[in-house]
Each structure stands twice: as C-alpha cells, then as structure tokens.
Amino acid sequence: MKRIIIFLGIQGSGKGTQANILATKHHIPIVEAGELIRKEIESNSKIGKKIKFYTTSGKMIPDRIFDKIIFNQIKKIGHPHNIIFDGFPRRMKQFRIILKIKKSLQMDEIVVIHLTLSEKIAKERIANRLVCPKCENTYSNTIDKVQECKKCRVKLEKRDDDNDKAIAKRFDIYKKQTQPVIDKLSKDNLILEFNGAKAIKNIAFDIDRSIKKVLKN
Ligand SMILES: [Zn+2]
C-alpha cells in the first residue's frame, strides 16, 4: 500500500524533529510546509514576495498560493511509494489539498501521527528554545546547553514570538483550526497518538515501532 503520513501537533511537541527522523530512517520523501515557505521567501521569487507581504502584515497565506507551493514540491519528488507531510494540513481548507494529493499520487491510505502536549509543557519548552538564524534548527537551553549551532557555527537566537502570550495564541488557533482537521481525519483514517512530553529518542522509538507494523501491509 502507498501512504501519506501526516505529522500533526502543537508547536513545541517536536513533530518536525520526529518527521525528519522517520523520513531519514525509512527513506521517505518529506514535505515540510514551514521550510518551503521560508525558502520561497528567501528566493525572492514572485510567489515569495507575495508570501512575505501576507506574513509581515500578519495575514494568512491564501490557499491557492499554498496549493501551488505544495504541488511544485510534489512535482519535484515525483511518484513516491510513501510521502510524509510536516505541519500540513493545519486547517480545514488545507485538508482538501491533501485529498487532491492522495488522488493525484494514487495513494491508498492516510496515516496521521499526532503528537500531544500540554500547554504547560509547551510553554516551558518554548521558553527554553533557541533557534539557529541560518538553518532554523532548534535547540533547548536546558537539554542541549549550547550557544551556537552545531552545524553552522553561528550564535543561536531566541525567536520574537516564543513568549507565553504568543504560545497561548498558537494553542488557541490550534484548538480552533487544527483540531477539527484531526477530528475529520480520524473518522476515516488511522490516527496514531504519541506523548510529545517524552524525550526525543523515546518518542522516535515509539513512532518507529508503530509505523513498522503499519508499513508492513
Ligand atoms: Zn544552523
């Protein structure tokens, strides 16, 4: 069977990290919505400029632009056996893009990997989060105890929006917009839930054990 594997979870749950671990381990191509958007802005392309306008003015990126970026990336990937999506679909309107992709790639099944995390722990984690301004890799002040990016050797920074108020807002948006997507997906698809409060390697182990069973069929 050919599968779309979707990683969902609130910021701070480590879903991006876990999606990458799984992609690397099982050689599955990955579509990372956040990174595609960042790259498009950096490239200063026509679409990139439009996206920059929306994000800097605090508006949501229109779905048709989102569609285009995602489909361009899928064209580059070709016809994979399985494919991973990270950070997408986050709202109901994006859900129908996933159905379109499922059809066009002739995928048999959607599997959702949902990482759960309490607001309290997310706040603690994000408060201790440092980001590399160059590669966007994140580090924890309390776990990694490093001041510069291991890869780029540049000083790590704190994100402007990594504060309690912004986090509470993200939780609110997640409940209102992403939770309905999860509810909808869970009706006809396989949802695997994992405790995002655990350590990275332990979550990776749990996900790998579950997904191996799924990928067998
Ligand atoms: Zn870096």
Side-chain angles (χ1 to χ4, degrees), residues 18-192:
Q18 295 300 338
N20 272 291
I21 292 173
L22 189 74
T24 308
K25 186 157 187 208
H26 294 273
H27 309 286
I28 303 171
I30 179 167
V31 177
E32 296 171 275
E35 201 180 305
L36 289 177
I37 287 167
R38 273 195 295 275
K39 276 189 183 158
E40 200 68 51
I41 294 173
E42 270 174 29
S43 76
N44 219 8
S45 66
K46 213 173 145 191
I47 299 180
K49 281 178 190 159
K50 274 187 197 160
I51 296 171
K52 202 176 173 180
F53 165 76
Y54 288 109
T55 51
T56 52
S57 53
K59 285 180 189 151
M60 260 200 277
I61 301 166
D63 290 306
R64 61 191 156 77
I65 293 179
F66 220 92
D67 274 38
K68 209 168 185 175
I69 294 172
I70 300 280
F71 270 97
N72 281 347
Q73 187 62 18
I74 284 169
K75 260 186 219 153
K76 279 186 204 160
I77 292 170
H79 280 84
H81 188 75
N82 296 307
I83 189 165
I84 294 174
F85 285 91
D86 167 31
F88 175 85
R90 272 195 200 166
R91 48 183 195 261
M92 274 319 249
K93 276 195 172 170
Q94 292 174 347
F95 173 73
R96 72 183 166 78
I97 308 175
I98 280 288
L99 296 180
K100 244 159 88 179
I101 293 165
K102 185 174 179 249
K103 207 175 164 193
S104 79
L105 292 181
Q106 293 173 303
M107 292 288 184
D108 304 294
E109 196 177 64
I110 296 174
V111 179
V112 181
I113 294 180
H114 184 213
L115 273 89
T116 58
L117 195 69
S118 73
E119 193 165 341
K120 187 176 169 274
I121 297 175
K123 277 182 179 168
E124 281 167 15
R125 271 197 191 162
I126 294 170
N128 290 311
R129 182 159 79 173
L130 293 171
V131 184
C132 168
K134 213 172 152 192
C135 72
E136 300 271 340
N137 247 340
T138 56
Y139 294 89
S140 162
N141 225 345
T142 49
I143 300 165
D144 303 305
K145 295 189 174 78
V146 286
Q147 294 302 314
E148 59 173 35
C149 177
K150 286 175 191 167
K151 204 168 81 187
C152 317
R153 298 282 158 211
V154 293
K155 200 176 180 307
L156 300 173
E157 291 172 357
K158 212 167 158 36
R159 269 192 198 146
D160 294 338
D161 58 348
D162 279 354
N163 56 63
D164 275 11
K165 206 179 149 195
I167 296 158
K169 199 179 163 198
R170 278 184 230 155
F171 258 86
D172 193 44
I173 293 172
Y174 192 81
K175 270 179 225 156
K176 278 186 194 143
Q177 298 189 352
T178 312
Q179 194 56 49
V181 176
I182 296 170
D183 296 342
K184 176 96 179 147
L185 278 166
S186 63
K187 276 188 188 150
D188 327 286
N189 305 282
L190 181 61
I191 295 240
L192 304 169

